[in-house]
């Protein structure tokens, strides 16, 4: 019988040796961030495209780091995972390959950090959980939005009781990606158009974790509560088809391509303790970027988009503005933002929340600490992908969300 890995600790790793799998847009940026972190060594690189290996090798050279062993052939990631001089496998491949690589890495005795979503099916979510429990290896999904400064401030306010009892929250991934669906990889597109192919074959919400991750931390999901069931509904598809007609002509092959993925998906989730969550997914309409980041409590309200807003009973009935807003943000600034975030600014890092995420992962592994996000987070947040599609396809029926902790969430409060 597997033992749960809640609060898993492993022996400290003073110098963390890393292998990077996937060196496209996300992977190369992650590699560059690691050039600014102490106590790490990049031992191996893996990508199917020689040009990505070349630019990663050049990056190591630019920062005066030793050359890393490169794997370029199909399946080279298995050789990388099998290396005895690798402690952590950092996975930035397309989302359909995340689970296979992470599972194999853990089976080889490596810790795994994988891009979002961690898995695209409930079965693969269970594979991650079962493997982490069997191997006693860390498996962290790289959900950077949990390290957003506003989300961390909200988390600090929740934990200090400033918002009262939390009853409802909303999250989203709203990002106009239409041009990327039809662009070459060198122009911001996706390798082999894997995301476009997925949209042709699936519906629901395939990218739930950016909105859901911070909410689950605010609500102590699987640490005193858990998501119980969901209901999901998608609009018709029109956005990609209209964009293709406008860009390539109404008689083009691009315009003739059908898509199953609806333009806007809305998923409602209820927890065992009666809290509710609204998630949205929209990457094919001209809406402004938003992750919502909204939380409602009995004593206060927080929302990041479209304009940051705080309303607290102790300050009256109007949203805080100006100096009052800044005082509250400073009063409840999360320690990660106050320390690691300031370091990111001094180093002129382009994305503060990514830097905090990587810093924390390295810090925890080097010091033998539990990770901020564990394999149960990876599974629970990612399973919404398949379950939302299942609900949509069956007329928006309620669908049960598995308890990946096997009941252990109740004892972890």
């Amino acid at each position: 019988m597997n033992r749960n890995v809640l609060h898993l600790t492993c022996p400290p790793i003073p110098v963390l040796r890393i292998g990077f799998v996937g060196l496209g847009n996300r992977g190369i940026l992650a590699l560059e961030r690691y050039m600014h972190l102490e106590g790490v060594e990049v031992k191996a690189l893996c990508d199917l495209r020689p040009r990505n290996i070349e630019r990663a090798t050049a990056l190591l050279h630019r920062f005066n780091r030793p050359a890393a062993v490169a794997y370029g052939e199909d399946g080279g990631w298995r050789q990388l995972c099998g290396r005895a001089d690798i402690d952590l496998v950092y996975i930035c491949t397309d989302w359909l390959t995340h689970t296979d690589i992470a599972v194999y890495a853990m089976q080889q005795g490596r810790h795994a950090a994988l891009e979002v979503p961690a898995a695209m099916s409930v079965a693969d979510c269970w594979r991650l959980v079962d493997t982490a429990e069997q191997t006693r290896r860390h498996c962290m999904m790289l959900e950077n939005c949990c390290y957003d400064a506003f989300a961390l401030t909200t988390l600090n306010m929740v934990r200090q009781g400033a918002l009262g009892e939390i009853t409802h929250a909303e999250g989203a991934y709203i990002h106009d990606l239409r041009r990327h669906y039809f662009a070459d990889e060198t122009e911001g597109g996706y390798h082999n158009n894997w995301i476009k192919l997925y949209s042709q074959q699936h519906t629901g919400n395939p990218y739930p974790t950016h909105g859901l991750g911070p909410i689950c931390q605010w609500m102590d999901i699987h640490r005193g509560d858990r998501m119980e069931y969901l209901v999901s509904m998608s609009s018709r598809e029109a956005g990609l088809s209209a964009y293709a007609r406008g860009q390539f002509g109404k008689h083009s092959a691009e315009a003739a391509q059908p898509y199953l993925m609806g333009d806007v998906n809305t998923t409602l989730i209820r927890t065992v303790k009666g809290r509710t969550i609204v998630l949205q997914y929209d990457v094919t309409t001209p809406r402004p970027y938003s992750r919502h980041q909204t939380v409602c409590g009995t004593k206060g309200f927080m929302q990041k988009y479209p304009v940051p807003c705080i309303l607290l009973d102790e300050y009256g009935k109007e949203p805080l503005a100006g100096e009052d807003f800044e005082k509250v943000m400073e009063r409840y600034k999360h320690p990660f933002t106050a320390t690691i975030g300031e370091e990111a600014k001094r180093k002129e890092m382009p994305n503060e929340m990514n830097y905090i995420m990587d810093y924390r992962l390295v810090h925890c592994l080097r010091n033998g600490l539990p990770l901020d996000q564990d394999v149960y987070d990876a599974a629970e947040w990612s399973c919404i992908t398949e379950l939302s599609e299942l609900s949509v396809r069956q007329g928006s029926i309620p669908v049960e969300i598995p308890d990946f902790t096997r009941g252990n969430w109740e004892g972890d409060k």
Side-chain angles (χ1 to χ4, degrees):
M1 183 177 178
N2 295 348
R3 289 187 297 133
N4 81 72
V5 287
L6 290 164
H7 312 295
L8 175 67
T9 59
C10 294
I13 307 171
V15 178
L16 186 66
R17 302 167 300 176
I18 307 171
F20 282 84
V21 181
L23 294 160
N25 295 330
R26 288 288 296 173
I28 197 69
L29 292 174
L31 178 63
E32 184 168 3
R33 291 194 301 275
Y34 271 78
M35 298 298 96
H36 298 273
L37 295 173
E38 295 181 2
V40 300
E41 294 179 353
V42 178
K43 290 293 187 179
L45 305 168
C46 181
D47 198 285
L48 293 173
R49 292 143 295 186
R51 67 177 181 275
N52 287 348
I53 293 290
E54 290 169 5
R55 64 176 182 164
T57 300
L59 182 63
L60 292 176
H61 178 73
R62 176 156 63 88
F63 281 89
N64 297 313
R65 297 297 183 95
V69 178
Y71 297 93
E73 69 276 15
D74 190 15
W77 57 268
R78 290 188 175 86
Q79 294 174 265
L80 182 149
C81 292
R83 292 179 62 94
D85 62 349
I86 296 288
D87 302 305
L88 170 70
V89 178
Y90 199 103
I91 303 160
C92 294
T93 56
D94 70 88
W95 57 29
L96 292 175
T97 58
H98 291 170
T99 302
D100 285 345
I101 300 173
V103 165
Y104 189 78
M106 288 186 283
Q107 290 172 339
Q108 301 306 304
R110 318 299 166 222
H111 300 298
L114 60 167
E115 269 290 356
V116 302
M120 301 302 285
S121 69
V122 173
D124 275 353
C125 289
W126 278 114
R127 286 175 62 204
L128 290 172
V129 169
D130 290 342
T131 305
E133 291 180 342
Q134 291 161 7
T135 62
R136 317 300 293 173
R137 296 294 88 186
H138 287 296
C139 179
M140 174 176 164
M141 182 169 62
L142 298 166
E143 185 39 78
N144 59 346
C145 293
C146 291
Y147 298 92
D148 171 86
F150 196 87
L152 285 172
T153 297
T154 304
L155 178 63
N156 213 21
M157 294 178 73
V158 168
R159 289 182 172 172
Q160 294 188 37
L163 301 179
E165 182 181 352
I166 304 305
T167 55
H168 176 80
E170 299 177 13
Y173 186 65
I174 298 169
H175 191 181
D176 184 359
L177 297 177
R178 290 172 297 173
R179 76 170 186 87
H180 298 279
Y181 275 70
F182 300 96
D184 180 84
E185 188 179 3
T186 60
E187 299 175 342
Y190 302 91
H191 180 58
N192 291 333
N193 280 325
W194 55 267
I195 193 169
K196 184 164 72 170
L197 179 62
Y198 191 89
S199 296
Q200 294 165 9
Q201 300 173 343
H202 295 274
T203 187
N205 183 342
Y207 206 67
T209 70
H210 279 349
L212 187 58
I215 291 172
C216 287
Q217 293 189 335
W218 302 336
M219 291 187 174
D220 288 328
I221 296 301
H222 93 238
R223 298 167 176 85
D225 197 357
R226 75 172 183 89
M227 296 184 289
E228 187 174 25
Y229 66 90
L230 63 78
V231 172
S232 189
M233 181 179 295
S234 290
S235 75
R236 60 170 292 180
E237 186 281 319
L240 283 180
S241 296
Y243 182 85
R245 288 194 299 271
Q247 294 293 311
F248 306 102
K250 64 180 180 180
H251 300 300
S252 64
E254 290 85 353
Q257 174 63 59
Y259 296 93
L260 189 60
M261 186 73 64
D263 284 1
V264 181
N265 174 270
T266 302
T267 298
L268 309 178
I269 300 171
R270 185 175 172 88
T271 75
V272 169
K273 293 192 173 180
R275 300 182 176 102
T276 53
I277 300 169
V278 175
L279 290 182
Q280 273 204 342
Y281 174 76
D282 173 6
V283 298
T284 58
T285 77
R287 293 168 74 181
Y289 182 89
S290 175
R291 297 196 306 275
H292 288 342
Q293 283 193 209
T294 296
V295 60
C296 302
T298 56
K299 293 164 57 179
F301 167 86
M302 298 277 287
Q303 179 173 290
K304 180 173 181 178
Y305 298 91
V307 177
C309 175
I310 302 175
L311 199 157
L312 299 174
D313 279 351
E314 64 176 291
Y315 283 85
K317 297 182 179 180
E318 297 298 323
L320 299 179
E323 188 176 332
D324 288 337
F325 176 88
E326 296 301 331
K327 283 183 178 179
V328 170
M329 291 296 291
E330 186 63 30
R331 174 184 174 186
Y332 291 103
K333 181 183 288 186
H334 195 281
F336 293 172
T337 305
T339 55
I340 311 167
E342 289 302 314
E343 179 179 313
K345 291 175 182 176
R346 288 194 301 272
K347 294 181 177 180
E348 298 183 344
M349 302 303 297
N351 190 306
E352 178 183 321
M353 63 186 185
N354 278 323
Y355 183 79
I356 296 175
M357 174 186 71
D358 289 328
Y359 185 105
R360 283 292 302 169
L361 172 60
V362 170
H363 176 80
C364 291
L365 291 176
R366 292 185 66 202
N367 291 277
L369 302 172
L371 303 188
D372 299 332
Q373 297 155 212
D374 60 26
V375 71
Y376 304 112
D377 294 317
E380 287 175 277
W381 306 351
S382 298
C383 79
I384 304 304
T385 293
E386 182 182 16
L387 298 182
S388 64
E389 179 173 9
L390 181 61
S391 179
V392 170
R393 286 179 177 269
Q394 298 189 59
S396 301
I397 64 169
V399 176
E400 183 179 355
I401 298 173
D403 175 11
F404 292 100
T405 73
R406 300 179 174 92
N408 289 298
W409 65 271
E410 293 185 270
D412 195 64
K413 301 178 183 178

